[in-house]
Amino acid sequence: MIFEPVSLNISQVSCERDDRLLFHNLSFALRSGDILRVAGPNGAGKTTLLRMIAGLFEVQDGVITIDQEPLSERRHQVLYIGHKPQVSRDLTVIDNLKFLTGFDEPVVKQALIDVGLRGYHDSLVKELSQGQGRRCALARLWCSEAPIWILDEPYTALDVTMVETLDRKINAHVAQGGLCLFTTHQLPQSLNFETLELGRVD
Amino acid sequence: MIFEPVSLNISQVSCERDDRLLFHNLSFALRSGDILRVAGPNGAGKTTLLRMIAGLFEVQDGVITIDQEPLSERRHQVLYIGHKPQVSRDLTVIDNLKFLTGFDEPVVKQALIDVGLRGYHDSLVKELSQGQGRRCALARLWCSEAPIWILDEPYTALDVTMVETLDRKINAHVAQGGLCLFTTHQLPQSLNFETLELGRVD
Amino acid sequence: MSWRWFHQWGSPRWFYERAGRWQLVCGWLALILLVVGSLWGLGFAPVDYQQGNSYRIIYLHVPVAFLAQAMYAAMAVCAVVLFVWKMKLADVAMQAIAVTGLAFTVLSLVSGAVWGKPTWGTYWVWDARLTSMLILGFLYLGLIGLRAAIQDPDQAGKACGILVLVGVVNLPIIKYSVEWWNTLHQPASLKLTEKPTMPASMWMPLLVNILGYYIAAAYLVLGSMRAIVIGRERRASWVKELVGRA
Amino acid sequence: MSIEKRMLARELKLAAARPGDIFKPMWFLMLVISMVPLALSPDSVLLADIGSAMIWVATLLALLLNTEHLFQSDFSDGVLEQWLFLDRPLAWLVGLKLIVHWLFHVVPLICITPIAGLMLSVPTDVLIALLMTLVVATPALTCFSGLGAALTLGSSRSGILGVLVMMPLFVPVVILAAGVLIRATDGSEILPLMALLGAFSLVAATLVPIAVSAAIRLNIGGSN
Amino acid sequence: MSIEKRMLARELKLAAARPGDIFKPMWFLMLVISMVPLALSPDSVLLADIGSAMIWVATLLALLLNTEHLFQSDFSDGVLEQWLFLDRPLAWLVGLKLIVHWLFHVVPLICITPIAGLMLSVPTDVLIALLMTLVVATPALTCFSGLGAALTLGSSRSGILGVLVMMPLFVPVVILAAGVLIRATDGSEILPLMALLGAFSLVAATLVPIAVSAAIRLNIGGSN
Ligand code: HEM
Ligand SMILES: Nc1ncnc2c1ncn2[C@@H]1O[C@H](COP(=O)(O)OP(=O)(O)OP(=O)(O)O)[C@@H](O)[C@H]1O
Ligand SMILES: Nc1ncnc2c1ncn2[C@@H]1O[C@H](COP(=O)(O)OP(=O)(O)OP(=O)(O)O)[C@@H](O)[C@H]1O
Ligand SMILES: [Mg+2]
Ligand SMILES: [Mg+2]
């Protein structure tokens, strides 16, 4: 699959939380093929920025558009994976994924094999280890049709093998014309990304 | 502070979960000054092993002792930090720490400054970012009197500065005669540790 | 009583095979007793001068009511065994008994209600015996619900064990308090220490049926214990072997 | 699969994964109903007098408790925020969830009330009226308590707020239902009141999901 | 600071941080009490007859719902497992927690019952007896529902399961309290029954914390 060219524009966005100025008049644009790492120390506002772009946190000041259209029109073109598990603890791995992606059993099963959860299809999410749960959430990337990926610390809890697999997947995604924004405190080895440094403004 | 010499003995410990054999007849011993990293892929049983040693998961087969005494007698010599936040979301940072450590305001405040949470003393934990919340939990290490530290993925969500600070703290702890067991998928740069590899037995 | 005996009993495989044989014996014995008792009671025992033929529900109602109570006691014994000797089989028994016990409780409630309509003119009254039976039903339900809510079988077993033990301490208190609150139901008509008030031709078949139901209960419990053992050990080699053979 | 089908499939799976959620309210109802004679008196005449009202209040409570955490686990697992990325209005998805919840968790509750009625010796015609009021009124109650659940999602402190907001909304429903039951006991006409109740439920079912979706959006915005 | 002082300080802070937890049960009680006349009939003689029993059942329910999540947030935040590393028996800490819970969350509930009594025109002497039974009986009820909460900690969406599981065990308490109330209405001697209730509470308060701590240990063992 090749995505239509897509562009994400952030212009003059500012954010204040609890009287702390997180970022001020931030502007940048991403196009198909771009990978952007949002970096910064703990509490810099990375998660806040990502949630703003995903439309989960109200933009207080500034404008964010996808292909010149407001975010709310293009929700389904965005795939967001945040800090939370994103999967229901009481459902099996496969049922969770079927709901989240809308794909059928064979596709979803293949995705689970790709993330190394072969043999865990019918386990409940609450019976998985930390990293396995995270893998389950990330399996969505293997059956996603959204061009814009927003990943908040996707490498958390993953072992070395899975980190590499994920890097490969992100590369493949942007090669198809997608774009990816992510945060992490571990420097990815095999990604070709640009960095946006969020520092303490104060 | 210098700790009394302490030793931790794990002998012939096995564990099976959901009919998967995680480890079998595992034996090792740690003494004051040792740092051990428990490594292995996701789902290998690292968390399970650490919880067993901390006395939070029943030892099904085998014996674990501290200074030749059963674990249950020496509970208060162990400090365990796991996957969960370990702090209450509805309390302030400082109240959480005062409860967990039993130290008074000045000591606890210093610890918070050490982990870079100056200015957040009276924030509620739920208002912190992911990494700040983790820092709050780790601040316990700065006012702990337990010689045995068991840390399950302590580096998760921490930025580079804090990772270094934590490394220094662990080094200082073992220099004082403590011992430390931890897991992580990121290789620590400035620690001098031995590795126990947990693989899939099956 | 040697420890080996306990050890053997703790082995699921040993139990599964042995219990199959016991079950067979219990099944036949129960069948014979129940057929004899029921035919005798329903067909040949005399008509009651007050209640007419409707009293014949007694041949179901009374044994089932006895059993419902006895099974809770059996479960308490299992809980003690579980905590003292850490025998997994006791937990299996507890699980099996909870389900069977609930079934008997419901049966006794339903048979009592059906009997209540002709004799008291209503299906239900808030009488002590009936109320404490209802509460017993809720206790069984609680055990089943608790077990269903906890994923890990060992953990679920221990949680149920705690509940059973707390419940068994309370059961006499509940029964006593409910009796003090309101009593209307038939007083015991079969007592070990006194001569029964019923004619022998009425209580003899009842006795046969009571015995029959007890053995039938053993049959049911053994059956569900075997099923539970197989379910829990489904990945053990001996179960795979067994399934492979079948 | 269409999004609607996915939602339904998921709710079915969840209901199957947590069968307790279906039985618990029924069980609660029966327990409350059996506590009443214990606390009051076993006298069946008195019980029959207050029986239908007790059953109504107990059902209301069971429903409230059942709906209180309707969105909680989806919210804290981060699944609810994923709903925003689906190609449907949130209010529509919320409406679906409420309907499914009513079908799976409230209807079984209504089905068990006749047994409760028998135990409290409620006369048959009153019992029938009781059942009818419950069927007609519970959609409104479900919507309102769903709104309460959505409002209280975010912080532990808004707890009181959500519940206080809901309280005045229940009152008209309870008064109307009580009117129906009193008329049923007298043997007079119940249709006009039932129609009113039905209208109330209908309006609630169309408008409340919008409020619920606004509340959910609000709470997602505040979380990390 | 001693461990006991730390526990107490923390509970105080938590109570201050979640005032909703204190007001919600009171609100619930008032809701149930105001629903009863609405659903029944405003006839004050009937209300006075059933009033004290209704208040008792409503308080019981409010207490149950309040205690239902006693350990939940500490458990899921991983704070409860840290209790195991404190240099005190778990049962002792649990006992402390239960006492504090009773003081902060149950006593306010009892304090509000007189208002409920006035609303249902319960006579003053019965009201006094009602208050006394509540004070004496609630420790036992708190302990039992704490046990229910502890037993169901592990299952993620246990909801009111803990309540349902423990409710049958409340029967003796309810019956004894009802006995006291009936005697108070008659004007006869209530002391012996009160003594029985008190004894029950005392025994529960000493033994149940042990069962609770066993249940907590169990659930910590199963979690990650
Ligand atoms: C739902 C309704 C009823 C329930 C739950 C119920 C419950 C019980 C229980 C628990 C027992 C065993 C008592 C014991 O252990 O000593 C029992 C025995 C008995 N019931 Fe019922 N009962 C009900 C209705 C009736 C009715 C309507 C009658 C007939 C008038 C009746 C007649 C008896 C008799 C004769 C016994 C044997 C008493 C004895 O030998 O101990 N029951 N019932
Ligand atoms: N609550 C549970 N119930 C049943 N099985 C579980 C449970 N938690 C974990 N497991 C299983 O136990 C195994 C080991 O889990 P554990 O959490 O110890 O892994 P881990 O080595 O810490 O992995 P990770 O690197 O992902 O944290 C896994 O295969 C998992 O499926
Ligand atoms: N729910 C909240 N309420 C109030 N303030 C918050 C809330 N969540 C975060 N903050 C504040 O907003 C700031 C940015 O938080 P954010 O989660 O965006 O940081 P981050 O860059 O993602 O950090 P980390 O690397 O730790 O994940 C922090 O200073 C934090 O204190
Ligand atoms: Mg973040
Ligand atoms: Mg782990």
Side-chain angles (χ1 to χ4, degrees):
Chain A
M1 190 178 61
I2 298 291
F3 295 109
E4 306 265 296
V6 66
S7 75
L8 177 69
N9 267 281
I10 283 88
S11 74
Q12 304 285 328
V13 173
S14 305
C15 176
E16 209 177 6
R17 271 193 115 159
D18 262 351
D19 300 316
R20 287 190 181 90
L21 188 63
L22 295 180
F23 39 84
H24 188 65
N25 279 352
L26 196 68
S27 299
F28 61 91
L30 295 177
R31 272 169 305 121
S32 289
D34 286 350
I35 307 182
L36 181 76
R37 171 180 173 225
V38 180
N42 291 136
K46 304 180 291 300
T47 298
T48 309
L49 177 63
L50 258 53
R51 285 181 75 86
M52 262 187 187
I53 298 175
L56 297 175
F57 190 80
E58 209 188 336
V59 183
Q60 296 152 342
D61 218 349
V63 186
I64 300 179
T65 56
I66 295 178
D67 287 342
Q68 268 66 50
E69 283 187 57
L71 259 177
S72 50
E73 305 286 305
R74 299 298 200 95
R75 274 286 169 74
H76 52 282
Q77 294 202 336
V78 174
L79 188 155
Y80 170 80
I81 296 185
H83 283 306
K84 289 178 180 173
Q86 321 275 334
V87 281
S88 310
R89 288 168 51 80
D90 288 329
L91 287 183
T92 60
V93 169
I94 201 154
D95 286 340
N96 262 306
L97 227 57
K98 271 158 79 177
F99 169 71
L100 286 171
T101 64
F103 280 101
D104 287 332
E105 191 116 352
V107 183
V108 169
K109 268 201 170 141
Q110 185 54 45
L112 286 174
I113 293 172
D114 290 341
V115 296
L117 285 180
R118 184 198 293 269
Y120 287 91
H121 301 176
D122 296 323
S123 297
L124 298 180
V125 168
K126 66 178 161 198
E127 294 169 350
L128 297 182
S129 81
Q130 201 73 4
Q132 288 169 332
R134 203 69 198 154
R135 282 169 185 235
C136 173
L138 289 171
R140 285 173 64 197
L141 302 180
W142 271 255
C143 36
S144 143
E145 284 174 337
I148 301 178
W149 285 3
I150 300 183
L151 312 177
D152 198 355
E153 307 211 18
Y155 299 104
T156 297
L158 299 183
D159 61 22
V160 189
T161 339
M162 184 60 200
V163 167
E164 281 165 15
T165 317
L166 180 58
D167 278 353
R168 272 201 303 278
K169 186 67 200 173
I170 294 178
N171 277 329
H173 175 68
V174 297
Q176 284 173 348
L179 67 81
C180 177
L181 247 107
F182 71 102
T183 67
T184 181
H185 295 293
Q186 299 163 250
L187 265 189
Q189 305 298 316
S190 42
L191 280 188
N192 198 356
F193 56 85
E194 283 175 71
T195 302
L196 171 77
E197 192 76 37
L198 291 183
R200 302 293 182 104
V201 188
D202 50 359
Chain B
M1 191 178 61
I2 297 291
F3 295 108
E4 306 264 295
V6 65
S7 74
L8 176 68
N9 268 283
I10 283 87
S11 73
Q12 305 285 330
V13 172
S14 307
C15 176
E16 204 178 345
R17 269 193 116 160
D18 260 353
D19 302 313
R20 287 189 180 91
L21 189 63
L22 295 179
F23 39 85
H24 189 65
N25 278 350
L26 196 68
S27 300
F28 59 91
L30 296 177
R31 270 167 309 120
S32 290
D34 286 350
I35 307 183
L36 182 75
R37 170 180 175 228
V38 179
N42 291 137
K46 302 181 293 298
T47 299
T48 309
L49 176 62
L50 258 55
R51 286 181 75 86
M52 259 186 188
I53 297 175
L56 298 174
F57 190 84
E58 209 186 333
V59 182
Q60 297 154 342
D61 219 348
V63 186
I64 300 180
T65 55
I66 296 178
D67 288 342
Q68 268 66 50
E69 282 187 58
L71 260 179
S72 50
E73 305 285 305
R74 300 299 202 94
R75 272 285 167 79
H76 52 283
Q77 295 204 337
V78 174
L79 188 156
Y80 169 80
I81 296 186
H83 283 304
K84 289 180 181 173
Q86 320 274 331
V87 281
S88 310
R89 289 168 51 79
D90 290 329
L91 288 183
T92 61
V93 170
I94 201 154
D95 285 340
N96 261 307
L97 226 58
K98 270 158 78 177
F99 170 70
L100 285 171
T101 65
F103 281 101
D104 287 332
E105 192 117 349
V107 184
V108 169
K109 267 201 171 137
Q110 185 53 48
L112 285 175
I113 292 171
D114 290 340
V115 296
L117 285 180
R118 183 197 294 268
Y120 287 92
H121 300 174
D122 295 323
S123 298
L124 298 181
V125 168
K126 67 178 160 199
E127 294 168 352
L128 297 181
S129 80
Q130 202 72 7
Q132 287 169 333
R134 203 67 196 159
R135 280 170 186 235
C136 175
L138 289 171
R140 286 174 62 196
L141 301 181
W142 271 256
C143 36
S144 142
E145 285 175 337
I148 300 178
W149 285 2
I150 300 182
L151 313 176
D152 198 356
E153 307 211 18
Y155 299 105
T156 296
L158 299 183
D159 61 22
V160 189
T161 339
M162 184 61 200
V163 167
E164 279 164 15
T165 317
L166 181 58
D167 278 352
R168 272 200 304 279
K169 186 68 198 172
I170 293 177
N171 277 328
H173 176 70
V174 296
Q176 283 173 350
L179 66 85
C180 178
L181 247 107
F182 71 104
T183 67
T184 181
H185 295 293
Q186 299 163 253
L187 264 190
Q189 303 297 318
S190 43
L191 282 187
N192 198 355
F193 57 84
E194 281 174 72
T195 303
L196 170 77
E197 191 77 36
L198 290 184
R200 302 295 182 102
V201 186
D202 51 356
Chain C
M1 198 183 296
S2 77
W3 283 99
R4 197 169 149 267
W5 191 76
F6 272 110
H7 184 68
Q8 230 176 17
W9 272 69
S11 149
R13 179 178 193 175
W14 183 88
F15 170 79
Y16 181 83
E17 283 160 4
R18 217 42 75 88
R21 262 173 276 161
W22 298 334
Q23 212 192 349
L24 206 68
V25 176
C26 286
W28 283 112
L29 212 59
L31 194 68
I32 294 166
L33 284 171
L34 287 180
V35 166
V36 170
S38 300
L39 281 183
W40 188 356
L42 296 182
F44 300 99
V47 174
D48 188 84
Y49 70 97
Q50 262 184 336
Q51 300 189 9
N53 271 320
S54 70
Y55 91 92
R56 292 185 199 275
I57 293 183
I58 202 173
Y59 297 114
L60 170 68
H61 175 74
V62 170
V64 157
F66 278 173
L67 262 168
Q69 295 165 304
M71 295 202 108
Y72 199 92
M75 215 158 43
V77 173
C78 292
V80 170
V81 172
L82 176 68
F83 285 123
V84 175
W85 287 288
K86 309 226 181 309
M87 238 173 75
K88 278 194 186 177
L89 200 58
D91 174 34
V92 172
M94 221 159 62
Q95 185 177 357
I97 295 173
V99 180
T100 334
L102 180 64
F104 280 117
T105 311
V106 170
L107 255 178
S108 94
L109 285 171
V110 170
S111 63
V114 169
W115 196 359
K117 194 64 182 173
T119 42
W120 302 335
T122 166
Y123 287 109
W124 184 262
V125 285
W126 291 96
D127 150 83
R129 229 27 116 82
L130 276 62
T131 308
S132 58
M133 202 65 186
L134 183 67
I135 291 160
L136 184 66
F138 283 131
L139 277 172
Y140 278 123
L141 210 58
L143 282 164
I144 293 170
L146 185 62
R147 192 180 287 275
I150 301 177
Q151 206 66 37
D152 181 59
D154 289 348
Q155 209 187 324
K158 285 180 201 156
C160 286
I162 294 175
L163 186 59
V164 168
L165 288 181
V166 175
V168 85
V169 172
N170 259 286
L171 212 55
I173 305 176
I174 294 176
K175 222 173 142 77
Y176 175 78
S177 67
V178 171
E179 241 149 64
W180 171 80
W181 171 69
N182 190 20
T183 306
L184 192 122
H185 191 276
Q186 294 274 331
S189 50
L190 276 184
K191 280 187 188 144
L192 287 177
T193 49
E194 293 170 26
K195 271 190 79 146
T197 52
M198 282 192 278
S201 51
M202 277 191 188
W203 65 255
M204 285 293 281
L206 182 57
L207 214 59
V208 174
N209 251 11
I210 289 176
L211 200 63
Y213 273 102
Y214 263 88
I215 297 173
Y219 171 81
L220 289 176
V221 169
L222 283 173
S224 41
M225 279 176 76
R226 290 181 76 207
I228 295 165
V229 164
I230 284 283
R232 288 200 193 170
E233 300 280 312
R234 64 187 172 284
R235 282 177 221 163
S237 53
W238 67 272
V239 174
K240 283 184 182 147
E241 226 172 82
L242 202 76
V243 175
R245 246 188 284 142
Chain D
M1 270 198 287
S2 82
I3 291 172
E4 286 71 21
K5 265 199 204 146
R6 274 150 71 185
M7 291 278 300
L8 290 181
R10 175 163 185 273
E11 293 296 327
L12 270 169
K13 294 259 167 62
L14 275 176
R18 305 161 177 164
D21 282 8
I22 296 179
F23 292 111
K24 270 182 260 167
M26 297 158 78
W27 186 358
F28 179 83
L29 178 72
M30 295 310 286
L31 273 170
V32 173
I33 292 301
S34 30
M35 284 292 162
V36 170
L38 289 177
L40 194 55
S41 91
D43 172 17
S44 63
V45 179
L46 177 63
L47 286 178
D49 264 2
I50 62 162
S52 59
M54 283 302 111
I55 294 174
W56 227 95
V57 173
T59 312
L60 172 66
L61 293 180
L63 188 149
L64 272 180
L65 296 175
N66 191 20
T67 316
E68 193 186 7
H69 299 298
L70 190 56
F71 302 107
Q72 190 62 55
S73 65
D74 280 351
F75 178 74
S76 50
D77 287 344
V79 177
L80 204 53
E81 59 190 40
Q82 295 296 337
W83 288 21
L84 295 182
F85 297 102
L86 298 178
D87 200 8
R88 294 283 188 285
L90 186 57
W92 166 246
L93 299 177
V94 165
L96 267 183
K97 171 114 185 166
L98 285 171
I99 291 174
V100 173
H101 178 70
W102 185 77
L103 279 176
F104 286 180
H105 296 123
V106 181
V107 170
L109 191 60
I110 300 177
C111 292
I112 209 175
T113 46
I115 297 180
L118 271 183
M119 292 178 75
L120 295 186
S121 354
V122 176
T124 318
D125 42 347
V126 180
L127 203 57
I128 291 170
L130 176 71
L131 274 177
M132 283 167 58
T133 55
L134 283 175
V135 171
V136 175
T138 44
L141 299 178
T142 308
C143 287
F144 291 142
S145 36
L147 180 54
L151 282 171
T152 52
L153 269 183
S155 71
S156 34
R157 253 181 288 183
S158 62
I160 359 166
L161 178 77
V163 180
L164 281 178
V165 167
M166 292 306 105
M167 165 131 162
L169 296 178
F170 290 134
V171 171
V173 180
V174 175
I175 290 179
L176 281 176
V180 172
L181 292 182
I182 290 170
R183 282 171 200 224
T185 319
D186 297 351
S188 54
E189 183 63 82
I190 61 169
L191 223 71
L193 284 186
M194 285 294 280
L196 256 174
L197 253 186
F200 199 85
S201 263
L202 217 65
V203 173
T206 42
L207 295 183
V208 173
I210 300 171
V212 173
S213 70
I216 288 178
R217 247 178 240 283
L218 201 78
N219 279 314
I220 286 178
S223 78
N224 246 8
Chain E
M1 269 197 290
S2 82
I3 291 171
E4 286 72 21
K5 266 201 203 145
R6 277 151 70 184
M7 291 278 300
L8 289 181
R10 175 162 185 273
E11 293 295 328
L12 268 169
K13 297 257 166 63
L14 275 177
R18 305 168 177 159
D21 283 5
I22 295 179
F23 290 110
K24 208 169 151 187
M26 293 159 87
W27 170 86
F28 179 87
L29 177 69
M30 295 315 280
L31 171 77
V32 174
I33 293 303
S34 47
M35 285 294 160
V36 169
L38 287 180
L40 196 53
S41 83
D43 172 16
S44 66
V45 179
L46 179 61
L47 284 182
D49 264 3
I50 63 163
S52 58
M54 284 302 109
I55 294 176
W56 227 95
V57 173
T59 313
L60 170 68
L61 291 180
L63 185 150
L64 285 182
L65 298 174
N66 191 19
T67 315
E68 174 192 12
H69 297 299
L70 191 56
F71 302 105
Q72 190 63 56
S73 66
D74 281 351
F75 178 74
S76 50
D77 287 344
V79 178
L80 203 54
E81 59 190 39
Q82 296 294 338
W83 289 21
L84 293 184
F85 297 102
L86 298 176
D87 201 8
R88 295 281 187 286
L90 187 57
W92 167 247
L93 299 176
V94 165
L96 267 185
K97 171 113 186 164
L98 285 171
I99 291 172
V100 174
H101 178 73
W102 185 77
L103 281 175
F104 288 177
H105 298 269
V106 180
V107 170
L109 193 61
I110 299 177
C111 293
I112 208 175
T113 45
I115 301 179
L118 284 181
M119 287 168 66
L120 297 185
S121 17
V122 177
T124 319
D125 44 345
V126 180
L127 205 55
I128 292 171
L130 176 70
L131 275 176
M132 282 167 58
T133 53
L134 283 175
V135 171
V136 175
T138 44
L141 299 179
T142 309
C143 287
F144 281 129
S145 35
L147 180 55
L151 282 173
T152 54
L153 268 182
S155 61
S156 52
R157 277 240 339 207
S158 56
I160 51 171
L161 182 65
V163 171
L164 297 177
V165 163
M166 298 319 287
M167 221 170 337
L169 299 179
F170 296 147
V171 168
V173 179
V174 174
I175 288 178
L176 283 175
V180 172
L181 294 181
I182 290 170
R183 281 168 201 225
T185 319
D186 297 351
S188 54
E189 183 64 84
I190 62 171
L191 222 73
L193 284 186
M194 286 292 278
L196 258 175
L197 256 185
F200 197 84
S201 263
L202 216 67
V203 173
T206 41
L207 295 184
V208 174
I210 300 170
V212 174
S213 69
I216 288 178
R217 244 176 241 283
L218 200 75
N219 279 311
I220 286 177
S223 78
N224 245 9

